[in-house]
Amino acid sequence: MLVRKPKRPVHLLNITPLIDVVFILLVFFMLATSFAQYRLIGIETPRETEISRNEAGAVVVMLQADGEVRFDGELIAPEALTGEVEAILGVDPLRGFLVRPEAGVPLERAVSAFDTVRDAGAIAVSFSPPREEDAS
């Protein structure tokens, strides 16, 4: 007598849903990476023409390499910067401010002074490169 073993059914893997998932992931990552460029923050310093035009009415905050701060030409303590800015803004709330770091001033210190002026309530604040007569 011939006995046959029943054949086990062969299970095939259906990969159609897998292809759909991979395609959706591909579309998601393509869209997500195109928005990554909008997260960049650019800092643009004013051009020379803008500085000469706006400097007449602006208060200049000069950051010196030795750690001193000159507020509109007068030497002040770095901690007193907030009070000086608030005093000016009490008289003229739309007054502009230029943060001008000397060569050798760390970027962190320049940005910190910029933030201090903004936190004091100033709305027109910008960076300014040092003038040639200041660098001499």
Side-chain angles (χ1 to χ4, degrees), residues 27-41:
V27 170
F28 170 78
F29 286 117
M30 285 173 48
L31 292 175
T33 56
S34 68
F35 294 118
Q37 64 186 346
Y38 296 115
R39 292 187 185 143
L40 300 177
I41 298 174

Side-chain angles (χ1 to χ4, degrees), residues 61-64 67-71 74-76 78 81 109:
V61 179
M62 177 80 117
L63 304 174
Q64 297 178 331
E68 293 182 340
V69 176
R70 292 199 175 272
F71 185 80
E74 297 180 19
L75 189 63
I76 63 167
L81 182 60
R109 189 167 154 238

